[in-house]
């Protein structure tokens, strides 16, 4: 009670700070900027806050916070547009939304999916703000209870979602997750700095592959290629569906699911380092487990949209708890948020316990700004969803080059290296093959996202536990099996058992018909070959290094899974689900254009970029694609090309970024943006 009475004056001061026209104006400006950033796949809150950093120095604290919170709050809302309309994850926190949101758009229910997502996002954002309000003073001891074993169990719980998304052949889903984890271990190990699947002679891979590249490659490239091959609009239906009101009704009918997933989002958001990378998958898994009829998941089940969207906005409120209480960033965007706060005013605001003691009114201002930003952002998105959903009725050949231009730019921003584009296409090709042969891409992505935290927490837990056991057996057991760990372990076991039982009803890659034995077997052998080499590469690391243990363990499990799949392929007939192949029957088999000619266009952009630099190559690519592949007039192609180049230059100028150079730039001194 004493704590509440102490906080009441600060709550009143917070309202008086934010209920000023100029503060609300800055909040709306931040919301609009966040909506614009979130619409473009792969950019997200980190890019948006990076854009604001130069303007934060010396700005009035409450105005700067209004601008930043407005942007941070609505990016998880607006990134839904790309996930639903194009099947491209708008950010790491909207990957699960693709699984059912995009099939709904294909069925002509884009407006319904969007409005259900926005209503869920609004509710989740308000739950996150409410949580932050109540727990800002009492959450500290709760957060401090999460040590390394608890963090490891949360990570393992995230991996348990693989059981739900494994697909009709559960072992394929498990191997896909293992493959993702092995690719996630590429580069320098965290313990001893030993290299896995990389070399200092080829420095690009020493830092590993970035999430934005893998996320866009594994989901965006396959969908763009598939729709482009079919030469039609995204939606097969001429109408957009029931409109935004139906989506709001869907959310209200599933309000308790939204409540539960919002709480999941808050809890996961509180734990530093997890946040958006895993929260949507946990919420999606919960939505599946609590639904009686699971047959529609992966085909356009609205609950598969409501669950993840409720959680990914709520996690922003949860993520501010460790950020504000301890100065520990809960995510990449929160790390930039901390840096930006230090620039405000005269530098008197410092996140952490000092902020709660000296600036409690500012702390609660952030909470209320978060709530208001969610309301404003959701109202704008719902109002615009019907109109923006009409993008799904435009012939995809007119959208594809623009989308590929955007995701190429987003991928390049992760490392400012031409190899970013090579990695994007490489992972994209893997995604195309996984989609073709019904290997779970969500399971792969979960494995990739959780590889680093799983390895780090496992190594740390083993080290600390070993020192505790040396003192006494009881102390070691108490460290490993705390009450929180036991609860999480039980939940994880139940999740795995239920997930594997239900996996055959949840088609993460849709309904894929079986084909011949040859192509699926060849792909399986190639995957097995990579896993075997990754295992050998890890085994060649000196035995005293801990950097070899995790990839060797994952590789061994995957090799056993691959052996089981190979034996099953040898024994089963071609009609078995293990031989799924989209190229044998279905929309890909009946596509107007072939896979390789379609891929050749994007390979051409990569080759031209290596020779001429990105901007010059993009100009040639856009004009030729529109003229010869889309079949438009030369005048329209020229206007489209000019608009695309101008848009790219504007984005690069705003974000203070350069473009990938080519050989031409090494021999010729060209002005920006060509050099």
């Amino acid at each position: 009670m004493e704590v509440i009475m102490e906080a009441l004056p600060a709550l009143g001061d917070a309202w008086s700070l934010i209920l000023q026209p100029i503060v609300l104006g800055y909040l709306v400006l931040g919301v609009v900027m966040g909506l614009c950033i979130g619409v473009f796949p792969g950019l997200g809150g980190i890019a948006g806050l990076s854009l604001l950093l130069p303007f934060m120095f010396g700005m009035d604290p409450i105005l700067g916070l209004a601008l930043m919170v407005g942007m941070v709050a609505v990016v998880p809302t607006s990134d839904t547009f790309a996930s639903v309309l194009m099947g491209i994850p708008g950010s790491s926190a909207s990957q699960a939304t693709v699984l059912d949101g995009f099939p709904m758009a294909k069925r002509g229910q884009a407006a319904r999916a969007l409005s259900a997502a926005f209503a869920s996002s609004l509710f989740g954002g308000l739950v996150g703000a409410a949580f932050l309000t109540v727990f800002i003073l009492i959450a500290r001891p709760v957060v401090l209870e999460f040590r390394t074993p608890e963090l490891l169990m949360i990570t393992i719980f995230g991996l348990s979602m693989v059981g739900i998304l494994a697909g009709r052949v559960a072992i394929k889903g498990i191997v896909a997750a293992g493959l993702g984890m092995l690719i996630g271990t590429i580069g320098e190990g965290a313990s001893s700095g030993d290299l896995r699947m990389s070399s200092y002679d080829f420095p690009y891979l020493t830092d590993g592959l970035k999430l934005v590249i893998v996320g866009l490659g594994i989901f965006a490239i396959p969908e763009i290629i598939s729709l482009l091959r079919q030469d039609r609009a995204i939606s097969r239906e001429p109408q957009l569906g029931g409109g935004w009101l139906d989506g709001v009704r869907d959310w209200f009918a599933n309000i308790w699911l939204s409540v539960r997933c919002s709480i999941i989002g808050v809890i996961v958001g509180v734990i530093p380092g997890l946040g958006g990378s895993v929260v949507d998958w946990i919420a999606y898994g919960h939505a599946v487990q609590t639904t009686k009829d699971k047959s529609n998941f992966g085909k356009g089940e609205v609950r598969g949209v409501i669950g993840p969207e409720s959680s990914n906005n709520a996690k922003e409120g949860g993520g501010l708890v460790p950020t504000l209480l301890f100065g520990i960033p809960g995510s990449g965007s929160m790390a930039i948020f901390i840096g930006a706060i230090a620039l405000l005013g005269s530098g008197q605001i410092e996140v952490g316990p000092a902020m709660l003691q000296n600036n409690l009114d500012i702390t609660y201002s952030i909470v209320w700004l978060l709530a208001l930003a969610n309301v404003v952002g959701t109202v704008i998105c719902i109002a615009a969803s019907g109109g923006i959903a009409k993008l799904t009725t435009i012939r995809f050949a007119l959208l594809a080059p623009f989308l590929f231009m955007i995701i190429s730019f987003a991928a390049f921003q992760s490392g400012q290296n031409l190899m970013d584009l090579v990695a994007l296409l490489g992972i994209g090709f893997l995604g195309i093959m996984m989609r073709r042969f019904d290997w779970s891409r969500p399971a792969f992505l979960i494995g990739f996202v959780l590889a680093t935290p799983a390895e780090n927490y496992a190594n740390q837990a083993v080290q600390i536990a070993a020192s505790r056991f040396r003192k006494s057996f009881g102390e070691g057991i108490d460290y490993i099996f705390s009450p929180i760990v036991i609860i999480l372990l039980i939940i994880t076991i139940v999740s795995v058992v239920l997930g594997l039982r239900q996996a055959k009803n949840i088609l993460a890659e849709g309904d894929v018909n079986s084909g011949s034995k040859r192509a699926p077997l060849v792909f399986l052998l190639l995957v097995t070959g990579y896993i075997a080499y990754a295992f050998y590469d890890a085994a060649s690391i000196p035995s005293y290094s801990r950097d070899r243990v995790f990839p060797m363990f994952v590789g061994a499990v995957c090799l056993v899974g691959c052996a089981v799949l190979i034996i099953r392929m040898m024994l089963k007939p071609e009609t078995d689900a293990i031989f799924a192949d989209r190229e044998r029957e279905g929309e890909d088999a009946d596509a107007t254009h072939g896979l390789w000619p379609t891929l050749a266009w994007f390979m051409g952009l990569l080759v031209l970029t290596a020779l001429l630099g990105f901007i010059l190559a993009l100009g040639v690519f856009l004009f030729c694609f529109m003229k010869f592949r889309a079949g438009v007039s030369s005048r329209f192609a020229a206007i489209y090309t000019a608009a695309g180049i101008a848009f790219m230059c504007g984005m690069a100028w705003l974000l203070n970024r350069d473009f990938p150079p080519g050989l031409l730039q090494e021999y010729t001194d060209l002005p920006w943006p060509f050099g």
Side-chain angles (χ1 to χ4, degrees):
M1 191 67 184
E2 183 180 340
V3 170
I4 296 174
M5 293 304 296
E6 184 181 321
L8 283 177
L11 287 169
D13 292 341
W15 275 115
S16 64
L17 279 174
I18 64 175
L19 291 181
Q20 304 176 56
I22 188 170
V23 175
L24 296 177
Y26 270 82
L27 178 71
V28 172
L29 177 61
V31 166
V32 172
M33 293 176 70
L35 292 175
C36 294
I37 290 289
V39 164
F40 299 113
L43 294 181
I46 295 178
L49 286 175
S50 299
L51 171 62
L52 292 181
L53 271 179
F55 305 100
M56 291 295 106
F57 187 77
M59 182 181 284
D60 182 89
I62 193 64
L63 298 182
L65 287 170
L67 195 62
M68 288 193 295
V69 172
M71 174 174 284
V72 168
V74 300
V75 167
T77 303
S78 57
D79 62 13
T80 308
F81 282 118
S83 299
V84 170
L85 298 183
M86 280 79 178
I88 302 171
S91 69
S92 62
S94 63
Q95 291 158 353
T97 307
V98 172
L99 301 187
D100 286 289
F102 190 50
M104 289 181 72
K106 285 182 174 180
R107 293 209 310 253
Q109 298 178 339
R112 177 187 172 197
L114 286 171
S115 54
F118 296 146
S120 304
S121 294
L122 170 61
F123 184 77
L126 294 177
V127 169
F131 171 86
L132 202 53
T133 302
V134 175
F135 285 90
I136 200 91
L137 294 177
I138 62 175
R140 182 171 182 170
V142 177
V143 176
L144 289 177
E145 285 298 315
F146 278 80
R147 300 164 298 170
T148 303
E150 287 80 8
L151 293 172
L152 177 60
M153 276 310 306
I154 283 285
T155 305
I156 293 173
F157 176 52
L159 282 168
S160 72
M161 294 301 106
V162 169
I164 292 171
L165 298 167
R168 293 175 295 179
V169 183
I171 297 177
K172 284 170 73 173
I174 294 169
V175 173
L179 179 63
M181 295 182 83
L182 287 174
I183 290 178
T185 63
I186 290 175
E188 289 183 336
S191 295
S192 308
D194 288 292
L195 293 179
R196 285 89 64 97
M197 296 297 287
S198 55
S199 166
Y200 288 121
D201 296 329
F202 188 67
Y204 178 76
L205 289 178
T206 57
D207 290 333
L209 294 173
K210 303 297 186 292
L211 176 59
V212 64
I213 291 177
V214 175
L216 290 174
I218 209 72
F219 275 112
I221 299 293
E223 299 303 337
I224 289 175
I225 295 295
S226 175
L227 289 168
L228 194 53
R229 288 179 60 195
Q230 294 161 43
D231 202 15
R232 60 172 178 80
I234 293 172
S235 173
R236 296 186 182 88
E237 305 293 333
Q239 301 299 321
L240 296 175
W244 67 269
L245 198 55
D246 285 346
V248 176
R249 291 195 192 102
D250 288 327
W251 167 78
F252 190 74
N254 295 282
I255 190 168
W256 290 112
L257 171 67
S258 189
V259 169
R260 295 193 301 272
C261 289
S262 297
I263 294 171
I264 289 172
V266 165
I267 294 171
V268 175
V270 165
I271 302 168
L274 293 181
S277 60
V278 67
V279 65
D280 56 328
W281 295 117
I282 294 177
Y284 186 84
H286 176 73
V288 172
Q289 289 172 332
T290 55
T291 303
K292 290 183 179 179
D293 182 9
K294 300 171 176 60
S295 59
N296 286 328
F297 281 95
K299 301 177 183 177
E301 169 63 64
V302 73
R303 288 172 66 88
V305 174
I306 291 170
E309 288 300 315
S310 297
S311 67
N312 66 23
N313 268 56
K315 71 107 174 44
E316 295 298 331
L320 281 168
V321 170
T323 303
L324 298 179
L325 266 64
F326 313 125
I328 300 172
S331 63
S333 58
M334 287 296 106
I336 298 177
F337 187 77
I338 289 175
I341 286 178
L343 299 176
L344 292 172
S346 57
Q348 75 272 25
I349 301 178
E350 180 182 352
V351 294
M355 189 170 185
L356 299 184
Q357 293 175 359
N358 306 324
N359 302 106
L360 193 57
D361 55 342
I362 295 289
T363 305
Y364 274 115
S365 295
I366 295 174
V367 177
W368 299 125
L369 287 168
L370 182 68
L372 285 175
N374 273 285
V375 173
V376 174
T378 303
V379 168
I380 294 174
C381 284
I382 289 179
S385 62
I388 295 178
K390 292 179 181 177
L391 288 172
T392 60
T393 63
I394 299 174
R395 183 180 163 217
F396 195 71
L398 302 178
L399 295 176
F402 180 81
L403 292 175
F404 199 80
M405 174 181 76
I406 291 291
I407 64 173
S408 297
F409 179 72
F412 177 68
Q413 301 320 303
S414 65
Q416 296 281 297
N417 193 313
L418 178 62
M419 289 304 299
D420 292 330
L421 301 185
V422 176
L424 177 69
L425 281 177
I427 296 294
F429 183 74
L430 174 63
I432 290 170
M433 293 297 105
M434 293 182 74
R435 180 181 180 274
R436 172 179 173 177
F437 298 117
D438 197 28
W439 286 65
S440 175
R441 290 178 292 163
F444 173 91
L445 198 58
I446 290 175
F448 178 84
V449 164
L450 294 180
T452 299
E455 180 177 14
N456 290 342
Y457 295 145
N459 286 338
Q460 293 167 14
V462 168
Q463 282 181 277
I464 299 172
S467 67
R468 298 288 177 94
F469 276 112
R470 281 194 290 268
K471 294 179 181 178
S472 72
F473 181 78
E475 188 173 339
I477 290 295
D478 289 342
Y479 176 74
I480 295 175
F481 293 107
S482 69
I484 297 176
V485 168
I486 293 172
I487 292 170
L488 289 172
L489 182 61
I490 293 170
I491 294 172
T492 300
I493 292 171
V494 172
S495 175
V496 170
V497 172
L498 292 177
L500 290 176
R501 287 176 57 187
Q502 300 162 355
K504 62 180 180 295
N505 299 320
I506 304 156
L507 306 179
E509 294 295 342
D511 192 8
V512 186
N513 293 309
S514 298
S516 64
K517 284 192 174 186
R518 181 179 177 183
L521 180 59
V522 169
F523 180 68
L524 173 59
L525 291 175
L526 290 173
V527 170
T528 306
Y530 176 85
I531 293 171
Y533 184 77
F535 179 87
Y536 167 79
D537 178 80
S540 65
I541 296 173
S543 58
Y544 57 79
S545 173
R546 287 189 301 273
D547 289 335
R548 74 199 300 262
V549 178
F550 185 77
M552 283 185 67
F553 173 76
V554 174
V557 172
C558 288
L559 285 174
V560 172
C562 288
V564 172
L565 288 173
I566 290 171
I567 293 171
R568 181 170 171 177
M569 282 189 170
M570 294 171 63
L571 299 177
K572 294 289 184 178
E574 290 186 350
T575 54
D576 192 84
I578 199 170
F579 296 109
D581 186 352
R582 290 180 188 272
E583 295 293 333
R584 302 296 295 182
E585 185 178 345
E587 59 183 20
D588 284 1
D590 300 330
T592 306
H593 301 277
L595 172 62
W596 298 109
T598 306
L599 272 177
W601 280 101
F602 301 109
M603 288 296 297
L605 174 60
L606 179 61
V607 172
L608 282 174
T609 299
L611 295 174
L612 306 177
F614 184 70
I615 283 294
L616 291 173
L618 184 63
V620 175
F621 167 76
L622 289 177
F623 183 84
C624 292
F625 187 95
M626 297 304 295
K627 173 69 177 173
F628 301 108
R629 177 64 174 76
V632 301
S633 66
S634 298
R635 183 171 179 269
F636 185 91
I639 294 172
Y640 190 102
T641 301
I645 297 294
F647 179 81
M648 276 289 92
C649 291
M651 289 286 291
W653 180 78
L654 282 173
L655 296 172
N656 194 26
R657 295 290 193 267
D658 290 322
F659 297 106
L663 284 176
L664 179 64
Q665 281 72 17
E666 294 183 12
Y667 298 103
T668 309
D669 186 16
L670 295 173
W672 189 91
F674 305 106

